[in-house]
Amino acid sequence: MAVRLTRRQLLIGAGVTGLALKSPGLFADLADGTAASPISRTIPSTGELVPALGMGTWITFNVGNDPYLVENRTEVLKTFLDRGGSVVDCSPMYGTSADVLGKALNALQAHDQVFAATKIWTADESATRAQADSSRNRWGVARFDLLQVHNLLGWRGHLETLKEMKARGEIRYLGITTSHGRRHDDLARIMNTEPLDFVQLTYNVLDREAESTLLGLARDRGIAVIVNRPFQGGALFRRVQSESLPPWSAEAGVSSWAEFFLKFVISHPAVTCAIPATSQVAHMQQNMAAMYGQLPSESQRQRMAAFVRSL
């Protein structure tokens, strides 16, 4: 019977977890002691730079009022910020995630350190502002940097209100999301006709449908791209649980499976930011390592995809 290893077991087996926990500056300094610069990307509509790795909160921050779990998620957020992250993504759909995030931001006094991104998720197209205000209060932020219509639900009415909110300075950017590869044709039509700053979609080393139309369209239309499910909900780690990194990985700037998967995503020229989610400090440390060093070339990216497909 095949043994399924967790991501933590994979890290321990590789000798990574202890090293990460003992070396807070591991991912911010080069071997010669000089500071490394995180990989950043430009938001096309303004030219603003954001780090190429953000943080998702789906499932991972939905922990209710448990003091131990809230403290743990606060440490996860602190690790993310300490290693150069800023884009944090949430949604009213994510249970108590917004409340836990708000507690963590308050404990760290980090409201000004995050690029705050959340979503509108209601079929009531007249409730855009009310839900935005509720989310803002739960986060404890003065305003959101980015508001997105979640999975195109009620997008016409919500988008009109978001345009008004942006014009009044109530938000900085607006966008629309989809996930699990759904409704790409609908999203493409909206991208072609509406003044979007951002789209959010699923893209990873195996789920590459976005390459056929959406990523190129985003570049042509000057729309920033946030990528969700870069680990395919953890399935990519299960796929490689009995595999070692291929010997050529170092040539692509990769030293772990997390880097392999994340660097594949953020090396695409249309991708602005990927938002992996985790509940573990050690995993966050490893994720953020992917935001430093070299990125794979196009030929290396194709080799990476072919290798994972072959497993």
Side-chain angles (χ1 to χ4, degrees):
M1 180 177 66
V3 177
R4 286 182 173 257
L5 301 179
T6 66
R7 182 180 175 188
R8 180 171 178 81
Q9 289 169 324
L10 287 170
L11 292 177
I12 292 172
V16 171
T17 303
L19 176 62
L21 290 174
K22 293 175 183 177
S23 306
L26 180 65
F27 306 135
D29 299 313
L30 299 174
D32 62 3
T34 60
S37 297
I39 297 166
S40 61
R41 291 288 181 262
T42 300
I43 300 172
S45 63
T46 63
E48 178 181 356
L49 289 173
V50 291
L53 283 180
M55 185 184 83
T57 56
W58 180 61
I59 296 179
T60 55
F61 271 59
N62 183 21
V63 296
N65 295 313
D66 186 300
Y68 171 80
L69 295 178
V70 172
E71 182 179 1
N72 167 263
R73 298 324 187 257
T74 300
E75 286 301 309
V76 169
L77 177 62
K78 183 179 186 299
T79 302
F80 169 73
L81 296 173
D82 286 348
R83 281 155 177 76
S86 70
V87 179
V88 178
D89 180 83
C90 196
S91 171
M93 181 187 181
Y94 301 167
T96 62
S97 293
D99 305 295
V100 173
L101 184 56
K103 292 176 183 177
L105 288 170
N106 189 57
L108 298 171
Q109 291 295 290
H111 300 87
D112 293 338
Q113 297 181 48
V114 297
F115 182 101
T118 194
K119 306 179 184 79
I120 300 297
W121 186 66
T122 172
D124 183 353
E125 296 179 28
S126 69
T128 315
R129 276 194 173 85
Q131 189 169 85
D133 286 344
S134 173
S135 293
R136 183 172 53 79
N137 290 331
R138 294 169 73 188
W139 281 55
V141 294
R143 70 171 177 177
F144 284 108
D145 294 288
L146 169 62
L147 271 182
Q148 308 154 94
V149 182
H150 195 161
N151 282 343
L152 283 70
L153 181 64
W155 71 267
R156 289 180 177 84
H158 293 316
L159 193 57
E160 289 306 309
T161 303
L162 293 182
K163 292 176 189 177
E164 294 173 6
M165 293 175 70
K166 180 183 174 183
R168 295 177 181 178
E170 298 171 46
I171 60 173
R172 299 176 61 224
Y173 299 103
L174 58 83
I176 288 185
T177 82
T178 186
S179 60
H180 296 80
R182 300 184 183 123
R183 302 186 66 181
H184 281 194
D185 290 344
D186 291 337
L187 182 57
R189 283 191 288 271
I190 297 169
M191 291 169 68
N192 269 313
T193 57
E194 297 290 346
L196 303 178
D197 297 301
F198 279 82
V199 292
Q200 184 179 139
L201 49 81
T202 295
Y203 179 58
N204 55 61
V205 70
L206 287 182
D207 297 319
R208 300 175 62 190
E209 182 184 345
E211 290 180 351
S212 64
T213 302
L214 296 182
L215 293 178
L217 180 58
R219 293 197 75 185
D220 293 343
R221 295 280 294 169
I223 301 171
V225 176
I226 294 177
V227 169
N228 56 46
R229 295 176 58 80
F231 296 141
Q232 208 181 50
L236 291 179
F237 288 108
R238 293 189 290 275
R239 190 180 183 97
V240 301
Q241 62 187 4
S242 60
E243 301 291 333
S244 299
L245 285 169
W248 43 263
S249 293
E251 300 171 15
V254 167
S255 60
S256 71
W257 281 116
E259 284 190 62
F260 189 105
F261 301 136
L262 290 173
K263 286 196 171 188
F264 175 86
V265 171
I266 66 174
S267 62
H268 192 287
V271 169
T272 308
C273 180
I275 51 169
T278 183
S279 61
Q280 301 294 324
V281 169
H283 294 178
M284 178 60 77
Q285 291 172 328
Q286 195 183 39
N287 290 352
M288 297 306 285
M291 201 168 67
Y292 293 87
Q294 73 183 71
L295 290 176
S297 66
E298 179 57 30
S299 61
Q300 289 168 332
R301 294 180 79 254
Q302 297 307 320
R303 192 177 189 183
M304 293 163 80
F307 179 81
V308 177
R309 284 198 308 270
S310 72
L311 299 178

